[in-house]
Amino acid sequence: MKKKLHGNTSGLRNTQIKKIETLYNHSTPPEYLADPELARFLVDLSHDIRRQIGLLIDRNGKIIYVIVGEPHRVVIPITSGYMAIPGKLKGLRLIHTHLKDEPLTRDDLTDLALLRLDYITAICITQDGKPGSVYSGHILPDEDSDPYQVLEPATIKDLNNDCLAQIIALESELTRKNSLYRPETGRENAFLINATTLDTKEAYASIEELKELCKTSHINVIGTAVQRRKTIDPKFVVGKGKLSSLIIKAIQNYATLLVFDRELSASQIRSITDFVEMKVIDRTQLILDIFAKQAKSREGKFQVELAQMEYLLPRLISKNTAMSRLTGGIGGRGPGETKLELNRRRVREKVNQLKKEIAKIRKQRQQQKSRRKRKELPIISIVGYTNAGKSTLLNTLTQSRIMAANRLFATLDPSSRRLRFPRDTEVIITDTVGFIQDLPKELMEAFHATLDELSDADIILHVIDISNPRYRQQKESVEKILKNLNLEQIPTLYIFNKTDKINLDDFDDQWLLNQGFPVCATQKQSLKLLVEKLESMVKSKINKG
């Protein structure tokens, strides 16, 4: 079976193409970088077409890929079956030509580091078409130094350098070091990337929130990078050169995952995943992953699965490598787990099925709401940024045991409880899903019915974590969502939570504190003024009704 040539063969004569194809018939001793006779033949072919030619050779000395390049570079194709996992090298070495006497280029060294090649070697061609200087390099396992070592110039007589023993020794050291950084089973080591055209202060704050999201999803963060740009690169977000250096840094720190602090477009996903042999996800996928793990109710699971499917649909592309690097467990597990080979038609069918199931559940909820309305019990809804203390407040007010934890999105499914005031007035008090800055639109749409429940509220309690340095930004994010839901007309009380974590006398906005109720949601006595105010508002509404 004839093997395919990779790269640019346009403009070549059929006789030239056939000669280059015969390279697949050659092999090289495993301990040689390349057989000297093979190197001479490679130089002859490259000199004839005036383009670089590259060979990817496995550890048995077999030529796996033949690449026809441009005059100044070769582009390495996606190498199915040769994925460089953490602690390992790729299992392939690149031997290619340079049309003039020049050392390994920046592109060569970037390929070496990014793709974790076993070795890279450039055989230079003299003006009379003969093999000239030979330049080689290999990965270094020390994360505190340069990611690679460039060797002294040699000749084709030096290609028998027992490279296989060196490769195995390097990989053994990489494996040993990787074992020191290997995360627990089921966890990933992530490197976080944020590109912004705005104030970097906001970008660093957003990265801190992304760290919290990673913590909630049981992902170890081993490094972060923020880049301020005039415009976001349409292909690579941070630009190809910057992305190269960040990925090399991530690999040196044994990262298994790149997380972008923004939503990646389908074209960005394609460009980035073609460029890096590492799993890649964006902020939206991370949030979807958390929702998938945290949703407990039937409706919640359906809503998350629908959000995941709608996120996946425009990103279904033919290259499975892109989708496998994009998902890899994170953002594609839980109730939304799906085989990557699902085509668009099947995903659309699944989306329609989920919408029907959700519609049924919503109809049932409407019936429950009708029964509740007949009893004419006032409704108080608790809203707030995720991890602001909404569930804790509901538990303390109603003496309930709804799960509350110090992490983002600890509870997703709405919870309702009855609250009886001291003077025998009863209300229903409801906890809603936590909000977050730039909540993915798929989730906003999927949870719209859940959030619509807020429209039935007589009073909204907006819980704000004033111990968080970003409390103003979080407050504004929640208010923006409430405005989008046309809920700003409902009477709203500010609940300034977690007062036990700060000194109120030193708080930077005393005026704001006077607009609401400073409380510690875990301490019932701190809620006394709030309960009195709520009882007064409810009685006033009942009397008007």
Side-chain angles (χ1 to χ4, degrees), residues 240-274:
K240 192 173 182 180
K242 182 65 174 179
L243 184 61
S244 296
S245 63
L246 292 179
I247 293 168
I248 290 169
K249 183 179 177 182
I251 290 170
Q252 280 191 292
N253 286 278
Y254 303 93
T256 57
L257 179 70
L258 288 182
V259 185
F260 283 82
D261 193 15
R262 66 188 307 108
E263 185 168 309
L264 298 175
S265 67
S267 62
Q268 287 170 335
I269 287 165
R270 190 178 297 112
S271 299
I272 294 167
T273 53
D274 281 352

Side-chain angles (χ1 to χ4, degrees), residues 376 537-545:
E376 294 183 342
M537 291 175 74
V538 168
K539 281 196 171 184
S540 174
K541 178 171 181 59
I542 291 171
N543 292 334
K544 284 180 183 177

